[in-house]
Amino acid sequence: MEVLQGYEVRDVIDEGPRAALARARSRGVDVLLRYGRRGDMTRADLARWRFGFELARSVAGVGVARPVALEAARNGVALVLEDAGMTTLRRWIDA
């Protein structure tokens, strides 16, 4: 599945009604991709994604995936995050 050009999705970690989170790889580097599942993003949607990117950059620390980029993607935008091998809270609780 190609969500973002140049990134190979390896595992979809979580899917919600509006967004999904996946582990991916680009040029030998592991990353997380958070991307929209709907097409036709509105200006308000794009503003929310931009705000999320800026917010994540400001609170980066232990236990928070560091944002790398916000890029144009197939369904609007994708947030590229550093993959430190963490697991989602949902997977941790289900284990």
Side-chain angles (χ1 to χ4, degrees), residues 8-82:
E8 174 193 349
V9 172
R10 302 174 130 210
D11 178 32
V12 176
I13 298 169
D14 189 38
E15 289 184 296
R18 297 193 324 184
L21 180 68
R23 282 204 156 84
R25 189 171 193 95
S26 176
R27 297 184 201 114
V29 177
D30 292 328
V31 296
L32 296 172
L33 292 178
R34 182 173 183 265
Y35 55 94
R37 296 192 61 208
R38 305 178 314 185
D40 301 333
M41 285 190 154
T42 65
R43 283 186 178 191
D45 292 331
L46 295 172
R48 270 192 294 281
W49 280 79
R50 182 74 182 161
F51 177 76
F53 174 70
E54 295 298 335
L55 182 63
R57 282 183 27 180
S58 70
V59 298
V62 176
V64 178
R66 185 178 68 81
V68 176
L70 186 63
E71 299 188 19
R74 178 178 52 116
N75 283 340
V77 294
L79 179 58
V80 182
L81 303 152
E82 167 182 272

